[in-house]
Amino acid sequence: MKNIKPFTVSQNGPTQRLEVVDALRGFALLAIVLLHNLEHYNIFSDNISQPDWLNSIDVFLCDAIYFLFAGKAYATFSLLFGFSFYIQMRNARKRGDDFRMRFAWRMMLLVGFSQLHALFYNGDILLLYAFCGLLLIPASSWSNRTVLTVAIILMLQPFAWGKIIYACFNPEYIDTNSMFAQFAAIAEQTGRHGNLLETLSDNIWNGQLYSNFWQVEAGRLFQTPALFLIGMWLGRKELFTDTPGNRMFWKWAMLYAVAAAIPLYFLKTYVPAHISNITMLSYYSIAIPMIYNFAFMVILMSVFVLAWYSHGNGYKFQRSVIAYGRMSLTNYITQSIIGVAIYYNFGLCLYNSAGATMSLIIGAGIFSIQLIFSRYWLGRHRQGPLEYIWKRATWISFPKQATT
């Protein structure tokens, strides 16, 4: 099995679950929940009637949450998906198993979970995860240098830059990169006015097209596998374990990320106003913010990891979300079901009455309920309910063909 040599296991490495990773995943999912509530699960409203003082608070909170977490929470969640793949591959290798085909089957199972999720929420990411995750199978035999090289190329959004270069030489070419918009409009109107059956029915088609066209056009088709590969690389290098060398790695990662994020912020914020070509503007507004969000994510992740290790085994507020992160699939899907029932017409229909402040309070309430349930459940079971189903189905034994 020479082609999978990069996954040889350190005999001295820890075998226990890395709680810092579960905590990171928990905070990433918390941020995703808050963002989804601010967006009313893709029903966008700006004519909510409320006092001016509350509007001022709304603007401040909305700007703060988007600045800190928009694009960064998703990136963290995606990176840790690649890390989890490495852990699963490593553990299977210890048992003498080849996990690659099992992982391919596991991604097909994830398609099933994605369809359940997409029935309710037209912003599903699991389908994209399932297909991008297949890249990890051949990547498991790549060297670390190859993994990082491919990840960097993908992270730089080569398709977007190709479009920009083409538009430079062909100014008459027009591409607004907004094919998703026609489906988004239909899906949003259904959420505003449809009953439950109409919402579910519309999400089967328009919701799926909206979600997946948007993710492709927003650059996630390149960003997501890049993050998966980086997560796998971090796992190979055992960079989430607490060692002096790893602490130094995260310090340097933070410093380099700050140095990159500052100019990227100005490029993201001030250059678009000077781009008149619609095609160039459309794709520039994808490529630069994507790279900026990655740099900012590295800052947040580095601060989190360094804070965890500086306190020995994490601060209390960090450890408080470990259970939430361990049940990320269950919590990700159920928070969407709860959220659409709160904001959509078939439920409480709060999309046009809950401002940013109220939406964040609702999001915090959803998180709190799920966190309490996660702690209760994991106090009695080893995994969350959907995690258990996913694992059991992953390792299902298929009957062998009888021979005569």
Side-chain angles (χ1 to χ4, degrees), residues 166-175 277-279:
Y166 183 81
C168 284
F169 294 98
N170 300 273
E172 73 285 353
Y173 176 70
I174 297 176
D175 182 355
N277 184 293
I278 187 63
T279 302

PDB file of all heavy atoms in Angstrom, residues 166-175 277-279:
ATOM      1  N   TYR A 166     -10.094  37.298 -18.744  1.00  0.00           N
ATOM      2  CA  TYR A 166     -10.829  37.231 -20.015  1.00  0.00           C
ATOM      3  C   TYR A 166     -11.579  38.535 -20.260  1.00  0.00           C
ATOM      4  O   TYR A 166     -11.597  39.057 -21.391  1.00  0.00           O
ATOM      5  CB  TYR A 166     -11.802  36.060 -19.990  1.00  0.00           C
ATOM      6  CG  TYR A 166     -12.552  35.871 -21.290  1.00  0.00           C
ATOM      7  CD1 TYR A 166     -11.956  35.205 -22.355  1.00  0.00           C
ATOM      8  CD2 TYR A 166     -13.840  36.367 -21.453  1.00  0.00           C
ATOM      9  CE1 TYR A 166     -12.637  35.034 -23.553  1.00  0.00           C
ATOM     10  CE2 TYR A 166     -14.532  36.204 -22.638  1.00  0.00           C
ATOM     11  CZ  TYR A 166     -13.920  35.537 -23.692  1.00  0.00           C
ATOM     12  OH  TYR A 166     -14.597  35.383 -24.881  1.00  0.00           O
ATOM     13  N   ALA A 167     -12.211  39.075 -19.212  1.00  0.00           N
ATOM     14  CA  ALA A 167     -12.960  40.324 -19.357  1.00  0.00           C
ATOM     15  C   ALA A 167     -12.042  41.495 -19.681  1.00  0.00           C
ATOM     16  O   ALA A 167     -12.463  42.455 -20.351  1.00  0.00           O
ATOM     17  CB  ALA A 167     -13.752  40.604 -18.082  1.00  0.00           C
ATOM     18  N   CYS A 168     -10.792  41.443 -19.209  1.00  0.00           N
ATOM     19  CA  CYS A 168      -9.834  42.503 -19.537  1.00  0.00           C
ATOM     20  C   CYS A 168      -9.606  42.606 -21.041  1.00  0.00           C
ATOM     21  O   CYS A 168      -9.487  43.710 -21.598  1.00  0.00           O
ATOM     22  CB  CYS A 168      -8.506  42.237 -18.835  1.00  0.00           C
ATOM     23  SG  CYS A 168      -8.508  42.606 -17.072  1.00  0.00           S
ATOM     24  N   PHE A 169      -9.534  41.455 -21.691  1.00  0.00           N
ATOM     25  CA  PHE A 169      -9.270  41.429 -23.123  1.00  0.00           C
ATOM     26  C   PHE A 169     -10.545  41.416 -23.968  1.00  0.00           C
ATOM     27  O   PHE A 169     -10.480  41.600 -25.185  1.00  0.00           O
ATOM     28  CB  PHE A 169      -8.406  40.206 -23.473  1.00  0.00           C
ATOM     29  CG  PHE A 169      -7.032  40.258 -22.899  1.00  0.00           C
ATOM     30  CD1 PHE A 169      -6.713  39.595 -21.719  1.00  0.00           C
ATOM     31  CD2 PHE A 169      -6.027  41.002 -23.518  1.00  0.00           C
ATOM     32  CE1 PHE A 169      -5.431  39.659 -21.179  1.00  0.00           C
ATOM     33  CE2 PHE A 169      -4.751  41.067 -22.994  1.00  0.00           C
ATOM     34  CZ  PHE A 169      -4.455  40.393 -21.809  1.00  0.00           C
ATOM     35  N   ASN A 170     -11.677  41.208 -23.324  1.00  0.00           N
ATOM     36  CA  ASN A 170     -12.960  41.180 -24.033  1.00  0.00           C
ATOM     37  C   ASN A 170     -13.971  42.016 -23.246  1.00  0.00           C
ATOM     38  O   ASN A 170     -14.866  41.480 -22.586  1.00  0.00           O
ATOM     39  CB  ASN A 170     -13.463  39.748 -24.188  1.00  0.00           C
ATOM     40  CG  ASN A 170     -12.512  38.871 -24.974  1.00  0.00           C
ATOM     41  OD1 ASN A 170     -12.562  38.806 -26.204  1.00  0.00           O
ATOM     42  ND2 ASN A 170     -11.623  38.183 -24.252  1.00  0.00           N
ATOM     43  N   PRO A 171     -13.845  43.356 -23.271  1.00  0.00           N
ATOM     44  CA  PRO A 171     -14.698  44.218 -22.444  1.00  0.00           C
ATOM     45  C   PRO A 171     -16.177  44.128 -22.774  1.00  0.00           C
ATOM     46  O   PRO A 171     -17.014  44.504 -21.945  1.00  0.00           O
ATOM     47  CB  PRO A 171     -14.159  45.620 -22.725  1.00  0.00           C
ATOM     48  CG  PRO A 171     -13.397  45.503 -24.003  1.00  0.00           C
ATOM     49  CD  PRO A 171     -12.855  44.113 -24.032  1.00  0.00           C
ATOM     50  N   GLU A 172     -16.516  43.619 -23.959  1.00  0.00           N
ATOM     51  CA  GLU A 172     -17.934  43.478 -24.312  1.00  0.00           C
ATOM     52  C   GLU A 172     -18.579  42.252 -23.662  1.00  0.00           C
ATOM     53  O   GLU A 172     -19.808  42.120 -23.638  1.00  0.00           O
ATOM     54  CB  GLU A 172     -18.090  43.384 -25.835  1.00  0.00           C
ATOM     55  CG  GLU A 172     -17.650  42.065 -26.473  1.00  0.00           C
ATOM     56  CD  GLU A 172     -16.128  41.897 -26.565  1.00  0.00           C
ATOM     57  OE1 GLU A 172     -15.421  42.883 -26.251  1.00  0.00           O
ATOM     58  OE2 GLU A 172     -15.665  40.816 -26.960  1.00  0.00           O
ATOM     59  N   TYR A 173     -17.764  41.366 -23.104  1.00  0.00           N
ATOM     60  CA  TYR A 173     -18.274  40.155 -22.448  1.00  0.00           C
ATOM     61  C   TYR A 173     -18.929  40.513 -21.127  1.00  0.00           C
ATOM     62  O   TYR A 173     -18.364  41.256 -20.319  1.00  0.00           O
ATOM     63  CB  TYR A 173     -17.127  39.170 -22.215  1.00  0.00           C
ATOM     64  CG  TYR A 173     -17.510  37.928 -21.453  1.00  0.00           C
ATOM     65  CD1 TYR A 173     -18.321  36.948 -22.016  1.00  0.00           C
ATOM     66  CD2 TYR A 173     -17.057  37.745 -20.141  1.00  0.00           C
ATOM     67  CE1 TYR A 173     -18.664  35.815 -21.305  1.00  0.00           C
ATOM     68  CE2 TYR A 173     -17.392  36.603 -19.425  1.00  0.00           C
ATOM     69  CZ  TYR A 173     -18.202  35.646 -20.012  1.00  0.00           C
ATOM     70  OH  TYR A 173     -18.549  34.524 -19.305  1.00  0.00           O
ATOM     71  N   ILE A 174     -20.136  40.006 -20.900  1.00  0.00           N
ATOM     72  CA  ILE A 174     -20.883  40.322 -19.679  1.00  0.00           C
ATOM     73  C   ILE A 174     -21.250  39.031 -18.949  1.00  0.00           C
ATOM     74  O   ILE A 174     -21.875  38.133 -19.513  1.00  0.00           O
ATOM     75  CB  ILE A 174     -22.166  41.119 -19.993  1.00  0.00           C
ATOM     76  CG1 ILE A 174     -21.812  42.463 -20.623  1.00  0.00           C
ATOM     77  CG2 ILE A 174     -22.980  41.336 -18.720  1.00  0.00           C
ATOM     78  CD1 ILE A 174     -23.013  43.272 -21.046  1.00  0.00           C
ATOM     79  N   ASP A 175     -20.854  38.957 -17.711  1.00  0.00           N
ATOM     80  CA  ASP A 175     -21.206  37.829 -16.847  1.00  0.00           C
ATOM     81  C   ASP A 175     -21.395  38.388 -15.438  1.00  0.00           C
ATOM     82  O   ASP A 175     -20.432  38.764 -14.770  1.00  0.00           O
ATOM     83  CB  ASP A 175     -20.112  36.769 -16.859  1.00  0.00           C
ATOM     84  CG  ASP A 175     -20.460  35.549 -16.010  1.00  0.00           C
ATOM     85  OD1 ASP A 175     -21.503  35.566 -15.329  1.00  0.00           O
ATOM     86  OD2 ASP A 175     -19.675  34.580 -16.020  1.00  0.00           O
ATOM     87  N   ASN A 277     -16.209  47.574 -15.117  1.00  0.00           N
ATOM     88  CA  ASN A 277     -16.601  46.397 -15.896  1.00  0.00           C
ATOM     89  C   ASN A 277     -17.372  45.435 -14.989  1.00  0.00           C
ATOM     90  O   ASN A 277     -16.839  44.957 -13.982  1.00  0.00           O
ATOM     91  CB  ASN A 277     -15.363  45.722 -16.481  1.00  0.00           C
ATOM     92  CG  ASN A 277     -15.696  44.546 -17.370  1.00  0.00           C
ATOM     93  OD1 ASN A 277     -16.189  43.530 -16.890  1.00  0.00           O
ATOM     94  ND2 ASN A 277     -15.424  44.687 -18.665  1.00  0.00           N
ATOM     95  N   ILE A 278     -18.617  45.124 -15.356  1.00  0.00           N
ATOM     96  CA  ILE A 278     -19.488  44.321 -14.484  1.00  0.00           C
ATOM     97  C   ILE A 278     -18.958  42.915 -14.292  1.00  0.00           C
ATOM     98  O   ILE A 278     -19.070  42.338 -13.204  1.00  0.00           O
ATOM     99  CB  ILE A 278     -20.937  44.286 -15.038  1.00  0.00           C
ATOM    100  CG1 ILE A 278     -21.871  43.605 -14.043  1.00  0.00           C
ATOM    101  CG2 ILE A 278     -20.986  43.607 -16.395  1.00  0.00           C
ATOM    102  CD1 ILE A 278     -22.000  44.301 -12.730  1.00  0.00           C
ATOM    103  N   THR A 279     -18.356  42.335 -15.309  1.00  0.00           N
ATOM    104  CA  THR A 279     -17.809  40.984 -15.187  1.00  0.00           C
ATOM    105  C   THR A 279     -16.620  40.972 -14.228  1.00  0.00           C
ATOM    106  O   THR A 279     -16.532  40.134 -13.323  1.00  0.00           O
ATOM    107  CB  THR A 279     -17.377  40.441 -16.555  1.00  0.00           C
ATOM    108  OG1 THR A 279     -18.499  40.453 -17.436  1.00  0.00           O
ATOM    109  CG2 THR A 279     -16.846  39.020 -16.436  1.00  0.00           C
TER     110      THR A 279
END
